[in-house]
Amino acid sequence: MFSKEIYSRRRTSLIRKVGNGVILLLGNSEAPCNYQSNTYKFRQDSSFLYFTGLASPDLALVMDAESGEQILFGNNADIDDIIWMGPQPTINDFAQSCGIEKALPFADLEIYVKAILSQGRRLHFLPPYRNHNKILLNALTSIPIPALKENSSLELVKAVVDLRLVKEECEIAEIEKACEIGYAMHYTVMKMAKPGVTEQTLYGIMEGIAHSQGAMTSFPTILSQNGETLHNHSHHQVLTEGRMMVIDAGAENEMNYCSDFTRTLPSGGRFTEQQKDIYRIVSTANNMGQSLSRPGVSYKDVHLNVCRLITRGLMNLGIMKGDADEAVANGAHALFMPHGLGHNMGLDVHDMEDLGEDYVGYDNQYTRSQQFGLSSLRMGKMLRAGNVVTVEPGIYFIPALIDKWKAEKTNCDFINFAELEKYRDFGGIRLEDDILITPSGCRRLGSKRLPITPEDVEEAMREN
């Protein structure tokens, strides 16, 4: 945990921003894997963590935005808990550790909430994403479960986003630690990847490093020679000469702050010339994305500039044609990069996605596009100092999407489908770094950058 003063200050800021009614923040509960007592690894709700630092299950926090009263609800361990898990902190211990003066048994939460509602006061809660908390909120408020999201508090969502989006120095230090673990995960596999090794072996090594140095991975590791599938979680193949492997993986450190890196490796240790041609476009795009990222610039504009660079690169290879600006305006590049340039990152790898991407990555000035590809940009609004975002351009050759566009003549003025046939079995390339927006620009997070040029990647793999 950080110091209790940090959590107290955050809660005071939240109360001030919301300004009325009562704020209810629910922590998470244990989630059964295949029977009740065999649970998945516990992960606390990120907003509850942000305002309390408490990583234990079955806790709830209420904050009266008018009187300022704060109450932590939870239960003390009974003798059965102590037999199986050893001595546990009391609910009063938890409250004192994060600067909350009052603690009550969890059963009193229902009494408290119903009293608030009976007085006609506003109850602010965040949109629930776990079934346990949906059922709990339904019991507390009598709001039907399907209607909970629409009855959640937009004022609270916006206040939480505003606070969590700009990272404090203590948070940046934790993200740096997560980046160090992420570097170790990727660099170790870079040294071990060679023909004959299974994807599953490399996947297991990466996951093991994350668990041995931190809390866990920040999301299920993507590691596949079928890199054209953006989020490929299948690891059944054997590394084969001539193919490439996309590895998108990160770590959560012990404070649950995240990292997220992607590198694309030649399975046999050396890129083909065709692979180098595409790789260099993506690596140049990655560097451009970082060079353009600074306060006062919208990430949508950074994204579009990167897309224009990718388009010009593909035009130089004869894969695309026409005017690059016009092609990007029409979304023709999205055949090859159907996702956004990056996303916010912090306590979540896709920071605050549970609160709604349109509130995290967009605002009244910058709204989400409906155009294919651009609609998948998770962060579009103006960058601010303290934002942590990923920069992850890619180029993919997706046979099903190519066939669909060709049959429908989509953007045929900008796509050379005949030349594209040479790349049908190419796969995909994605390269991702994590950056902090600084007052004058940005900087990469982590003490070392993973090899990024094709030459550096090959050199690192030669040393395995």
Side-chain angles (χ1 to χ4, degrees):
M1 289 179 64
F2 299 127
S3 70
K4 64 182 179 181
E5 289 76 18
I6 287 175
Y7 299 109
S8 294
R9 185 181 69 246
R10 290 173 177 177
R11 293 193 300 271
T12 299
S13 297
L14 182 65
I15 288 170
R16 188 180 302 116
K17 284 179 179 293
V18 174
N20 65 82
V22 173
I23 300 164
L24 170 62
L25 294 180
L26 295 177
N28 282 336
S29 295
E30 298 277 13
C33 177
N34 54 349
Y35 56 88
Q36 190 64 37
S37 62
N38 186 26
T39 62
Y40 291 101
K41 180 178 174 63
F42 178 71
R43 175 53 155 87
Q44 185 61 282
D45 174 77
S46 294
S47 289
F48 194 86
L49 269 178
Y50 182 82
F51 291 104
T52 69
L54 300 174
S56 294
D58 301 318
L59 299 171
L61 170 66
V62 296
M63 294 171 279
D64 191 317
E66 293 158 26
S67 71
E69 182 180 51
Q70 302 175 24
I71 308 172
L72 184 69
F73 292 86
N75 294 323
N76 293 326
D78 61 22
I79 189 61
D80 286 339
D81 295 326
I82 293 170
I83 289 170
W84 290 102
M85 299 184 296
Q88 302 293 306
T90 67
I91 185 62
N92 281 315
D93 292 335
F94 281 132
Q96 290 173 18
S97 70
C98 62
I100 296 172
E101 294 183 359
K102 189 173 182 180
L104 293 173
F106 201 88
D108 288 0
L109 178 62
E110 184 173 3
I111 300 169
Y112 180 93
V113 169
K114 290 189 174 179
I116 291 296
L117 295 176
S118 69
Q119 297 165 17
R121 299 186 67 195
R122 176 78 187 277
L123 182 70
H124 299 274
F125 59 87
L126 298 173
Y129 56 90
R130 284 202 179 182
N131 289 337
H132 180 277
N133 281 345
K134 291 179 182 180
I135 295 168
L136 176 59
L137 274 172
N138 168 254
L140 294 174
T141 66
S142 299
I143 299 171
I145 288 175
L148 285 169
K149 184 176 180 180
E150 65 189 70
N151 281 277
S152 62
S153 170
L154 185 56
E155 300 99 307
L156 180 57
V157 166
K158 289 183 175 181
V160 171
V161 168
D162 194 47
L163 288 169
R164 285 182 56 188
L165 204 55
V166 175
K167 304 299 184 284
E168 301 169 66
E169 287 298 325
C170 60
E171 294 183 279
I172 294 166
E174 295 301 320
I175 296 171
E176 297 266 25
K177 294 175 186 177
C179 288
E180 297 302 317
I181 303 170
Y183 180 94
M185 292 164 65
H186 278 267
Y187 199 69
T188 300
V189 165
M190 197 173 285
K191 295 292 188 182
M192 299 186 69
K194 59 184 177 181
V197 175
T198 64
E199 294 171 345
Q200 182 66 37
T201 297
L202 301 177
Y203 165 84
I205 289 167
M206 296 190 84
E207 296 268 320
I209 292 171
H211 284 271
S212 67
Q213 297 189 27
M216 55 183 165
T217 56
S218 50
F219 58 97
T221 295
I222 299 161
L223 186 154
S224 176
Q225 291 175 110
N226 291 110
E228 74 279 5
T229 303
L230 302 184
H231 282 179
N232 196 328
H233 296 294
S234 176
H235 315 292
H236 66 283
Q237 299 179 98
V238 175
L239 269 60
T240 305
E241 189 84 35
R243 300 186 70 186
M244 293 181 298
M245 178 171 57
V246 171
I247 307 175
D248 188 340
E252 277 195 21
N253 78 332
E254 292 179 348
M255 290 277 287
N256 298 109
Y257 283 89
C258 298
S259 63
D260 183 6
F261 298 126
T262 308
R263 288 297 185 265
T264 303
L265 311 180
S267 297
R270 295 187 65 83
F271 292 104
T272 67
E273 289 305 311
Q274 185 190 58
Q275 290 167 350
K276 283 184 181 179
D277 288 341
I278 301 297
Y279 188 102
R280 287 194 176 101
I281 297 172
V282 180
S283 63
T284 303
N286 176 289
N287 289 329
M288 170 189 262
Q290 295 183 48
S291 70
L292 295 176
S293 296
R294 59 176 57 87
V297 173
S298 77
Y299 210 49
K300 179 179 179 180
D301 285 344
V302 178
H303 168 89
L304 291 172
N305 275 295
V306 165
C307 291
R308 283 187 277 269
L309 182 148
I310 288 172
T311 298
R312 287 191 291 270
L314 293 174
M315 285 178 173
N316 290 337
L317 295 177
I319 298 170
M320 294 187 72
K321 58 186 178 179
D323 179 78
D325 291 346
E326 191 177 349
V328 170
N330 281 274
H333 65 284
L335 175 61
F336 308 101
M337 184 176 150
H339 62 75
L341 181 62
H343 51 80
N344 289 285
M345 190 181 75
L347 279 167
D348 310 306
V349 70
H350 290 175
D351 215 18
M352 296 173 282
E353 190 169 303
D354 61 307
L355 305 183
E357 280 183 2
D358 286 351
Y359 302 121
V360 179
Y362 294 90
D363 54 22
N364 293 335
Q365 184 180 2
Y366 294 93
T367 56
R368 187 185 290 270
S369 169
Q370 298 303 306
Q371 185 185 69
F372 176 74
L374 188 54
S375 63
S376 295
L377 178 63
R378 290 185 166 97
M379 172 61 173
K381 65 186 179 185
M382 201 76 77
L383 294 168
R384 299 161 60 191
N387 290 162
V388 172
V389 296
T390 65
V391 183
E392 49 182 309
I395 293 176
Y396 316 85
F397 297 87
I398 306 168
L401 185 59
I402 292 169
D403 291 344
K404 184 177 189 296
W405 279 34
K406 184 177 180 180
E408 297 173 357
K409 295 182 168 48
T410 302
N411 281 311
C412 59
D413 291 340
F414 305 107
I415 309 294
N416 186 344
F417 286 102
E419 185 66 21
L420 191 49
E421 284 299 311
K422 300 176 184 177
Y423 295 83
R424 187 175 183 84
D425 298 323
F426 183 92
I429 293 174
R430 179 163 68 253
L431 301 171
E432 176 183 21
D433 291 306
D434 305 333
I435 63 171
L436 168 70
I437 305 302
T438 65
S440 59
C442 75
R443 69 171 178 87
R444 280 187 298 275
L445 292 164
S447 62
K448 295 174 286 187
R449 189 183 192 187
L450 286 162
I452 189 72
T453 68
E455 293 77 19
D456 287 346
V457 170
E458 290 178 347
E459 178 62 29
M461 294 183 73
R462 266 196 298 275
E463 297 169 1
N464 62 14

